[in-house]
Amino acid sequence: MNNRVLVTGSSRGIGKAIALKLAAAGFDIALHYHSNQTAADATAVEVRALGVNVNLLKFDVAERATAKTAIEADIEANGAYYGVILNAGINRDTAFPAMTENEWDSVIHTNLDGFYNVIHPCVMPMVQGRKGGRIITLASVSGIAGNRGQVNYSASKAGIIGATKALSLELAKRKITVNCIAPGLIETDMVADIPKDMVEQLVPMRRMGKPNEIAALAAFLMSDDAAYITRQVISVNGGMI
């Protein structure tokens, strides 16, 4: 079986943690990044040190033609993916009345359009391989509950949840599971400016989560033990909702 997994946004943060956790589990990694070549190269070194193969893909998930070309070329050269993890995303937080067109469009194009741009070129090769597979998307507590100052981000992540559930129905008979992880506040650059006292107010466990705590769930969902789990949104948020 081809055990290769594409992880978008995997040069750092949650994506990097997922790539390393899957590599430790024996999966070869297609390591995607957008612009930070130095971080991607460093992550690739760590992945290879775990004894698996890794290749790098550079593209903007918001650019449909570029993403399609890069993914199709990688599949042509190395075979279909067994798994795809849609992790890459951005936020542009501001109160809705002050939100610019660019702040809306950039978040929707990256986070929600990225679902189509990345997953669509991967699906038919997975189906045609007749070996099953795993698709995991990353949403957010904001996509479930909403969050002030994040109308654009919440909309994009809620859309990912709906798309994930719908796609799971289409692929279930192909033995391809489709699930969504919805993190809360995780120690990454995206939430680095949130004060500690605010974290303690928002999170019943009174701390941020760690990227590896998301990666551990992703590795389980990618495993054979998770073959009967599909169409689920699993929250990892310290009890926020």
Side-chain angles (χ1 to χ4, degrees):
M1 176 186 292
N2 188 335
N3 70 336
R4 213 160 56 96
V5 178
L6 169 64
V7 185
T8 66
S10 50
S11 64
R12 56 198 177 96
I14 291 173
K16 176 179 179 178
I18 290 173
L20 291 172
K21 183 70 74 172
L22 293 179
F27 290 97
D28 293 333
I29 304 297
L31 195 156
H32 161 265
Y33 69 105
H34 177 201
S35 58
N36 195 332
Q37 177 82 47
T38 301
D41 287 340
T43 299
V45 169
E46 293 185 54
V47 170
R48 289 192 187 96
L50 293 168
V52 300
N53 298 316
V54 59
N55 63 295
L56 272 62
L57 282 74
K58 179 181 180 181
F59 59 86
D60 183 350
V61 299
E63 295 180 0
R64 183 162 300 153
T66 305
K68 184 174 187 288
T69 298
I71 290 169
E72 288 183 345
D74 185 48
I75 291 173
E76 177 68 24
N78 301 296
Y81 306 117
Y82 177 71
V84 178
I85 297 184
L86 186 73
N87 166 73
I90 63 170
N91 66 323
R92 297 288 184 269
D93 296 351
T94 189
F96 187 71
M99 186 174 291
T100 66
E101 293 179 0
N102 179 259
E103 287 168 339
W104 176 270
D105 289 344
S106 62
V107 170
I108 296 298
H109 291 332
T110 298
N111 297 357
L112 186 53
D113 289 353
F115 181 100
Y116 181 91
N117 298 345
V118 171
I119 296 176
H120 191 263
C122 301
V123 166
M124 282 312 299
M126 293 174 74
V127 169
Q128 291 164 352
R130 300 180 182 274
K131 296 177 180 179
R134 303 281 188 269
I135 295 173
I136 301 171
T137 62
L138 273 289
S140 168
V141 64
S142 297
I144 298 173
N147 190 31
R148 70 178 64 203
Q150 289 193 320
V151 173
N152 49 359
Y153 188 74
S154 296
S156 70
K157 294 300 188 176
I160 285 175
I161 290 171
T164 299
K165 290 188 172 186
L167 183 60
S168 71
L169 297 176
E170 296 186 14
L171 297 181
K173 66 182 178 181
R174 307 290 188 176
K175 299 181 180 179
I176 299 172
T177 67
V178 189
N179 292 292
C180 181
I181 300 173
L185 297 176
I186 308 298
E187 292 177 354
T188 64
D189 293 343
M190 189 176 287
V191 297
D193 296 333
I194 297 179
K196 185 175 184 293
D197 61 341
M198 184 177 293
V199 173
E200 292 177 349
Q201 291 174 19
L202 293 172
V203 184
M205 293 191 74
R206 300 176 64 83
R207 69 170 177 88
M208 289 191 186
K210 300 180 185 304
N212 198 52
E213 292 172 314
I214 305 300
L217 176 57
F220 170 69
L221 291 174
M222 195 65 60
S223 73
D224 291 342
D225 289 337
Y228 200 54
I229 301 173
T230 197
R231 204 186 181 192
Q232 302 306 303
V233 180
I234 304 174
S235 295
V236 185
N237 60 36
M240 290 180 71
I241 57 172

